[in-house]
Amino acid sequence: MKHEKFALIIGIMLVLSSGCKPEADRSGNSLAHISDTKVMQYALEGKLLYGQHCANCHKDDGKGLGKLIPPLNPSDYMVEDIGRTVRLIKNGMEGEIMVNGNSYNQAMPANPKLTNIEIAQISTYLYNIWGNEKGLISIPQVEVYLKE
């Protein structure tokens, strides 16, 4: 009986320490690559805010909604200009855009109640998930982007 429990515990430990990762981690859906604690803190808060303010349209996995809502995972449009993304989060937008070679013309609502730190957190999340590794998008950076 003792040996069976010991073998079970060893088996569980081996499985947990084997480095097996879920598919989501291997496909860039993880923040595990972040070593900077400030970036991680912002990204984790940003993930929660993304879930509240963005995921309804852009989806948890960032894939968007078909031809209606553009993807953020991946998105040439997003990675091309951090400042533009910051302004879109705060001010929304109307009009046609091209994302990954596809046209989208659905209005994105503004989020005027989001604070600069919340926008910095969402941006840090977006720019450090799904294969992106841009590091911290700071509050001062957000302030500058919003003035452009």
Side-chain angles (χ1 to χ4, degrees):
M1 185 69 164
K2 271 185 171 179
H3 294 292
E4 290 173 34
K5 284 183 182 178
F6 181 75
L8 179 62
I9 290 170
I10 295 296
I12 290 171
M13 289 173 58
L14 285 172
V15 169
L16 293 175
S17 66
S18 69
C20 293
K21 294 183 178 180
E23 187 62 35
D25 287 346
R26 289 194 301 264
S27 65
N29 286 342
S30 172
L31 297 170
H33 67 278
I34 299 172
S35 59
D36 184 297
T37 55
K38 183 86 168 180
V39 175
M40 181 60 84
Q41 177 187 9
Y42 269 51
L44 290 173
E45 290 295 325
K47 180 177 182 175
L48 295 173
L49 291 163
Y50 176 87
Q52 294 170 355
H53 298 280
C54 313
N56 190 46
C57 294
H58 292 287
K59 303 301 170 202
D60 288 332
D61 63 2
K63 297 293 185 182
L65 190 58
K67 298 291 182 182
L68 189 60
I69 306 294
L72 304 176
N73 172 23
S75 172
D76 58 356
Y77 187 83
M78 185 186 81
V79 245
E80 189 175 89
D81 189 339
I82 296 172
R84 177 178 59 202
T85 300
V86 165
R87 291 186 294 278
L88 289 175
I89 292 168
K90 180 75 168 192
N91 305 318
M93 72 164 292
E94 290 188 21
E96 182 179 10
I97 61 170
M98 294 294 288
V99 179
N100 303 334
N102 297 306
S103 173
Y104 295 88
N105 198 4
Q106 179 70 31
M108 179 173 153
N111 291 287
K113 293 184 179 181
L114 286 176
T115 64
N116 288 354
I117 189 169
E118 291 171 326
I119 293 170
Q121 292 166 332
I122 293 169
S123 299
T124 298
Y125 171 69
L126 291 175
Y127 284 97
N128 287 282
I129 192 76
W130 307 315
N132 299 310
E133 295 186 26
K134 299 288 187 191
L136 182 69
I137 311 299
S138 68
I139 299 166
Q141 284 175 290
V142 167
E143 291 169 352
V144 168
Y145 292 143
L146 291 175
K147 289 179 184 175
E148 294 177 351

